Amino acid sequence: MRPIARPLLAVLMLVAALGWGSAAAAPGNGQHPAAPRQGLPALLAAAGESQEPVRAILRFQAIPTADDVAALSAVGVAAQPMKQLPLAIAEGTVPDYVRAVAQGLVEDVYPDRTHALQSADSVGAMGGFAAHDLGFTGEGIGVAVVDTGVDGAHPDLDDRVVRNVKVVSPAPATEEPAFLVAVDALPHDTTDSNGHGTGVAGTAVADGSAHPELLGVAPGADLVSYGLGSAVVFVFSSEIIVAYDDILATHEQYNIRVVNNSFGRIGYGFDPGSPFTIAHRALHDAGVAVVFAAGNFGAEMTLSTHALSPWAIAVGATSNLPARADFSSLGLPYDNSTASGPDADGHYHFEGDRLGLWHPDVMAPGDRVVMPSTPPGNQPLGPAPEDPLVSGRTSGTSFSAPHVTGLVAVLLEARPELTPEQVAQVLQVTARPLGDGSAFWQSGYGMADAAAAIDLVTSPTFSTTRLAQLQARADRRVLAARDHRVLVSDHWDLNGANAGERTLTFTVDERTEAIHASIAYPIDIDEEWQLRLLDADGREVGVTQPTTSTDPFIAAASVHIDFDEVPGGVRPGTWTAETIGSAVGLAAIAQLQHQEPRPLEEVGFEGEETLSFSMTGGPTGGLVSPEGCDHQALEFDGDLSLEGPDATCHSGGFVEDALFLGGRAELVSEPLPATSFGGPAQLRLHVVDEPRPLSSPVPALGRWLYLDLDAVDEDGRVVAAIAAEQIVFEVGPTPSLVTFDLDVMPVQVPTGSRLRARLLLGNLPGVPAISMRLLWGGDFSASGLDLSTGSFGTAPGTAR
C-alpha cells in the first residue's frame, strides 16, 4: 500500500478511534435504520490533506433541526438542512467534519460526488421505442426528470411542462447557510445546461404535436423538470439531494409518481447508509417509483451503483434488434448479494442462493434514439440538419431509462393504486427475453413490453396475489437457467481508506465446485490491477483476465475456476486473493455448485405436431399490384387460416416513412382449441422491394422484419405472448420467398384464443424510403406460419 502522509494519517487514526465500521447508534425517530459509517473514510481519501473548505453531505438520525445546525456551526461546519430528509448539505474542512462525527453531531459525512450523464455513442441502429396502441398516455400522472434542465419552450414539450425547477446556488448574505436551493423558473424556461435533460424528458413525455417522430411513451403526462448540471457534463450529489427533497415536499401537489434518473456512478458497492440511498428510498416509500439508467460501460460488474438499489428500477439499453446494446452495463454472472453494507474493511459477505442486486431489471431502446433538441446554440447532442429542434440519433442508457419512466406513467394511469414495488414487478413479469440469448445478469428479465404490461394491469383478474405468483415464477425461471448455483459470495469495496494493494481472505466451503471472481476499476489510476487467487495450500489457481469495456476510463476483469479442471485439485479452507497493482474499485468472488441449466425454452416441452397457418384474406378490389394482385398500401389486415391459402393473390404495402418506422400489418386467426406452442417455428413471406425517390439522404443499409406473435382473447387483449423477433434479411426487386426460422418459448394458449401476428417491415434506420410489399395467396400461397405444438411439464420455471 502507498505510504500515507502524516496529517492524513493522524486523521485516520482518529477515525479508527471512533470505531469505524461499527453500527451507528439507533435512529432517534425510526426514519432510517442504523448504518455503518462509510462516508468519512471516502471523504478523507478524496480530500486528502486539504485544509480548504469542501462541500459534503451530512447524515443524521432524523430530519435536522435548527439546534443541529447551530451545533455544527460551533465546530466550524456550515450546514443547510433538508426539509424532508435526514440529510444536510455542508461546507467545512476535513478536521471540522471529523470533530462533528466525534462529538455525535452527525452520523456520517459523505463527499459531494459527481455523477456522469449516461449517454454514449454506438454503431448500432434502432428505430425508436416500439410503442403499441396502449389506450393510455400517462394523463394526470406527474413525471419528474432530475437532469440538466429542459427546454420548456420546445413545441413538443411546452404543453407537458407544469413546473420547471432550477437547483442553483443562491445569492450570498443569507442569514442561514443555503448552498443550493430549488427555484421555480417559468414553465417555458429554455435553460438546459447540456441538452441531455431535454432529450431525456422528451423520450418520456414529448407529445409529438409539432414533430411526430418525437412522440414520447407517455405523451399525456405532466412534466416536472429539475435542472442540475452546474458542471455541464456531471451532476453533483448535493444537487440531486436538493431535488429529491423538493420532490418529497411537492409530490402530492403535482401527483409525481415516477422520477427519472439518467445519471450514474460505478466502482462502489451498495451502501444502505449513503445519503443517496436514504433519499431515493424515501421517494420509494412515499409512493414515487424511481428509475435509473444502468450505465454505459459494457463490461462485467459495471452496473451503476445507483441501479443496485432494491428500491430502484434499473434499465439497460437495447439496439434495434431485440438485443443488448454493446455499451449497456452488466452485472455479475453469479450473485446472491442483498441490501446490506460492508464492514470496516469494505467487505460484504452473503450466504445462500438467490437473485442478487447486480443485474438490470428490464431493458428498453437506448441505441440511436431520436429525441428533442435544445434551441440553436445549445445542441451538444447534435440536431438533425433538417430541423434544429429534432436531435440526431443519440445513444445511452440515459435514453432507455425514460422509455421505462414513460411506461411507468402509463401503467399508473391505467391502475393508479400500484405501488412502486408492484410497478417494478409488472415490468419484470411482462418483459420479453431478448433475441440474442442474453443472460439475466446482462439483460435482466428482458425487454419492457408496454402492451403486455398494460394487458396485465387492466385485466379483470389482476390482483396482488397473481402478481406475486408471476414474479415468483419469473424468478424460478431465472434461477433454473443458470449453470451454477451460488453457495457463498464475498465482495470488497476497495475505495477510500480500503484502497491500495491488499490481500483479501475468504473461506472456501467443502461443497464448493467452482469459483468466479470479478473486478471493476477506473483506469486513470497509476496502474492496472488484477486478482491472483491462492488456495488453502498457497497454490495459485487463477488470475483475473481483462474483459472488454466500451468506456475508455473503466476496466474490468474476471476468471472462472472449475475445480475439476485444476491439476491436482484444490483444497478448501482459508483462501487468499492478492491484488496485483493498485486496487481501487470493486472485487467479487462467488463460490458455486454445478447445476444442469434448465432454460424455459427447453424444460419438459415435447412437440407433437405442426400447425400450419396460411395467410388469407386481405384487400379486394381497388388498387392492383404489378403482379395483378389486389393491393392495399401501408397498414393492412388479413387472416391466419388453418383451412389453406386463398386462390386469389393479395398484396400489402410497407412504405417506410421519414421516421424509419415502416408500415404495419395485422393477421388474426379464428378461435383455437386449448394448445401449447413451443420449439421450432417458421415464418414464410413473399417479399418484393421496389426503389422509389429518396426521402432521406442517408445510404441504404438493409431490411428488417419485426414480428410480434401473441394469443389474444375476443377483445384483442393479450393472454399469452408467444414470440417477438426482429430479423435482418435481403430482398430484391422481384418477388422472392424469404424464410425466417424462429424458436418459440413454450406457452399454454387458452381455449378460444386467437393467434395474432403483427408485422412491421421496413429498412434499418438511416435508410432511404423504399417501397416493400408482401404477397400471399394465388401464386404466392407459400406465405404462412408453421408452429410446433405439444406439451410441457410443471417443473420450476416452465409454466406461465
Side-chain angles (χ1 to χ4, degrees):
M1 182 178 289
R2 299 184 188 124
I4 301 175
R6 288 182 180 273
L8 180 57
L9 179 60
V11 174
L12 288 173
M13 291 175 65
L14 175 56
V15 168
L18 295 176
W20 225 247
S22 60
N29 65 352
Q31 286 204 8
H32 68 87
R37 297 187 181 98
Q38 303 294 325
L40 191 51
L43 179 66
L44 294 171
E49 303 173 56
S50 174
Q51 297 297 306
E52 297 296 320
V54 294
R55 181 74 55 86
I57 301 173
L58 311 180
R59 188 185 81 206
F60 299 80
Q61 294 180 4
I63 295 172
T65 65
D67 289 343
D68 293 324
V69 173
L72 287 166
S73 179
V75 297
V77 175
Q80 174 191 343
M82 297 295 99
K83 298 176 181 178
Q84 310 294 323
L85 294 165
L87 306 171
I89 299 169
E91 283 190 358
T93 65
V94 170
D96 293 337
Y97 289 131
V98 171
R99 279 194 295 272
V101 174
Q103 294 181 24
L105 304 180
V106 297
E107 284 190 335
D108 205 352
V109 183
Y110 280 75
D112 189 10
R113 292 168 172 152
T114 58
H115 304 260
L117 303 172
Q118 299 293 0
S119 56
D121 294 327
S122 173
V123 298
M126 65 160 283
F129 185 69
H132 300 285
D133 183 8
L134 304 175
F136 299 95
T137 63
E139 184 174 356
I141 303 299
V143 173
V145 173
V146 178
D147 213 286
T148 62
V150 67
D151 175 10
H154 192 291
D156 295 291
L157 290 171
D158 57 357
D159 287 340
R160 306 271 56 82
V161 179
V162 296
R163 189 168 180 237
N164 205 344
V165 183
K166 308 299 177 188
V167 177
V168 298
S169 298
T174 55
E175 293 184 4
E176 297 182 358
F179 305 110
L180 292 167
V181 294
V183 177
D184 278 82
L186 294 174
H188 293 170
D189 182 279
T190 62
T191 306
D192 182 342
S193 65
N194 177 284
H196 188 270
T198 297
V200 167
T203 303
V205 304
D207 58 26
S209 56
H211 308 85
E213 66 270 34
L214 300 183
L215 185 67
V217 183
D222 296 329
L223 174 63
V224 180
S225 169
Y226 286 84
L228 319 180
S230 59
V232 182
V233 295
F234 296 104
V235 293
F236 283 92
S237 294
S238 54
E239 297 172 318
I240 300 166
I241 294 299
V242 169
Y244 285 179
D245 195 62
D246 191 77
I247 292 172
L248 286 166
T250 61
H251 70 96
E252 292 182 353
Q253 178 182 355
Y254 293 98
N255 196 30
I256 297 173
R257 299 295 309 278
V258 57
V259 56
N260 188 88
N261 304 273
S262 287
F263 49 80
R265 184 177 180 87
I266 75 161
Y268 295 85
F270 179 76
D271 179 2
S274 79
F276 210 88
T277 303
I278 291 170
H280 68 69
R281 171 67 186 270
L283 287 170
H284 172 278
D285 291 349
V288 180
V290 183
V291 178
F292 274 100
N296 301 324
F297 306 106
E300 185 173 326
M301 209 182 184
T302 60
L303 200 70
S304 170
T305 302
H306 311 324
L308 297 177
S309 171
W311 308 294
I313 300 171
V315 186
T318 61
S319 64
N320 67 308
L321 304 176
R324 185 185 68 85
D326 62 354
F327 58 79
S328 190
S329 283
L330 308 177
L332 286 169
Y334 308 103
D335 175 40
N336 65 343
S337 59
T338 61
S340 58
D343 62 17
D345 209 30
H347 178 220
Y348 305 75
H349 181 74
F350 310 104
E351 297 184 359
D353 192 29
R354 68 180 72 84
L355 297 181
L357 305 180
W358 283 87
H359 60 84
D361 292 306
V362 293
M363 309 291 280
D367 190 4
R368 295 177 58 79
V369 178
V370 174
M371 60 193 179
S373 180
T374 54
N378 187 22
Q379 300 166 337
L381 297 179
E386 64 273 14
D387 193 327
L389 294 180
V390 180
S391 169
R393 296 182 181 273
T394 308
S395 300
T397 56
S398 273
F399 310 108
S400 54
H403 280 98
V404 170
T405 295
L407 177 52
V408 170
V410 169
L411 293 174
L412 289 168
E413 180 196 3
R415 189 171 283 272
E417 68 271 23
L418 291 173
T419 65
E421 183 178 16
Q422 291 167 348
V423 166
Q425 290 178 329
V426 168
L427 294 171
Q428 291 169 173
V429 304
T430 58
R432 302 193 308 263
L434 299 190
D436 61 1
S438 294
F440 180 74
W441 64 282
Q442 298 169 316
S443 62
Y445 293 88
M447 171 78 85
D449 187 332
I454 284 292
D455 283 334
L456 175 59
V457 301
T458 57
S459 168
T461 63
F462 178 84
S463 68
T464 55
T465 300
R466 182 188 176 202
L467 184 57
Q469 291 172 341
L470 292 172
Q471 183 68 67
R473 189 174 298 166
D475 292 346
R476 288 198 303 269
R477 181 192 70 196
V478 171
L479 290 169
R482 301 168 308 163
D483 55 2
H484 293 80
R485 66 179 63 89
V486 182
L487 295 174
V488 176
S489 70
D490 293 271
H491 297 187
W492 289 266
D493 191 331
L494 303 177
N495 293 290
N498 294 314
E501 295 180 358
R502 293 280 301 278
T503 297
L504 312 174
T505 61
F506 57 103
T507 301
V508 173
D509 194 287
E510 292 184 353
R511 301 169 296 163
T512 301
E513 299 173 340
I515 279 180
H516 189 93
S518 313
I519 60 173
Y521 58 96
I523 62 174
D524 57 351
I525 58 177
D526 291 347
E527 57 181 315
E528 295 186 1
W529 67 277
Q530 302 296 329
L531 277 182
R532 178 192 292 118
L533 275 68
L534 308 175
D535 73 0
D537 290 327
R539 292 192 310 133
E540 180 180 302
V541 293
V543 178
T544 56
Q545 299 298 316
T547 57
T548 301
S549 171
T550 58
D551 190 280
F553 301 107
I554 298 297
S558 66
V559 62
H560 189 90
I561 304 166
D562 193 318
F563 289 3
D564 291 339
E565 298 176 1
V566 177
V570 298
R571 190 166 72 84
T574 301
W575 284 39
T576 56
E578 297 178 347
T579 64
I580 307 171
S582 299
V584 176
L586 288 167
I589 298 175
Q591 299 182 44
L592 313 171
Q593 276 188 328
H594 298 295
Q595 73 174 18
E596 188 66 30
R598 294 165 60 84
L600 178 62
E601 304 92 296
E602 300 175 7
V603 179
F605 187 84
E606 297 180 359
E608 297 173 354
E609 61 177 319
T610 299
L611 285 185
S612 295
F613 294 87
S614 298
M615 292 175 58
T616 63
T620 57
L623 299 176
V624 177
S625 75
E627 297 80 17
C629 304
D630 288 330
H631 179 67
Q632 183 177 342
L634 293 178
E635 299 183 9
F636 62 88
D637 299 323
D639 301 317
L640 290 172
S641 173
L642 293 171
E643 303 300 323
D646 281 352
T648 303
C649 69
H650 303 283
S651 168
F654 289 85
V655 180
E656 187 193 35
D657 60 19
L659 310 184
F660 313 113
L661 294 180
R664 296 178 182 269
E666 185 170 300
L667 306 164
V668 182
S669 75
E670 291 299 311
L672 302 172
T675 188
S676 296
F677 295 116
Q682 188 177 83
L683 176 66
R684 301 175 306 281
L685 300 174
H686 279 95
V687 186
V688 60
D689 183 355
E690 299 170 338
R692 67 180 175 86
L694 303 184
S695 65
S696 169
V698 187
L701 297 176
R703 314 287 181 268
W704 56 267
L705 168 77
Y706 184 86
L707 166 69
D708 241 344
L709 190 63
D710 301 304
V712 299
D713 62 18
E714 60 181 6
D715 296 322
R717 305 180 64 82
V718 174
V719 295
I722 299 173
E725 298 284 344
Q726 191 162 350
I727 311 165
V728 178
F729 66 99
E730 296 296 330
V731 64
T734 58
S736 59
L737 183 66
V738 182
T739 300
F740 306 97
D741 292 320
L742 313 174
D743 188 17
V744 173
M745 181 184 301
V747 59
Q748 176 72 37
V749 175
T751 301
S753 300
R754 301 171 185 263
L755 195 65
R756 183 183 70 188
R758 285 178 167 172
L759 303 174
L760 176 63
L761 193 66
N763 301 311
L764 289 178
V767 180
I770 295 174
S771 296
M772 281 183 284
R773 292 183 290 108
L774 294 187
L775 299 161
W776 67 96
D779 294 338
F780 309 104
S781 59
S783 294
L785 174 68
D786 292 341
L787 285 174
S788 300
T789 67
S791 60
F792 53 97
T794 57
T798 60
R800 281 176 175 250

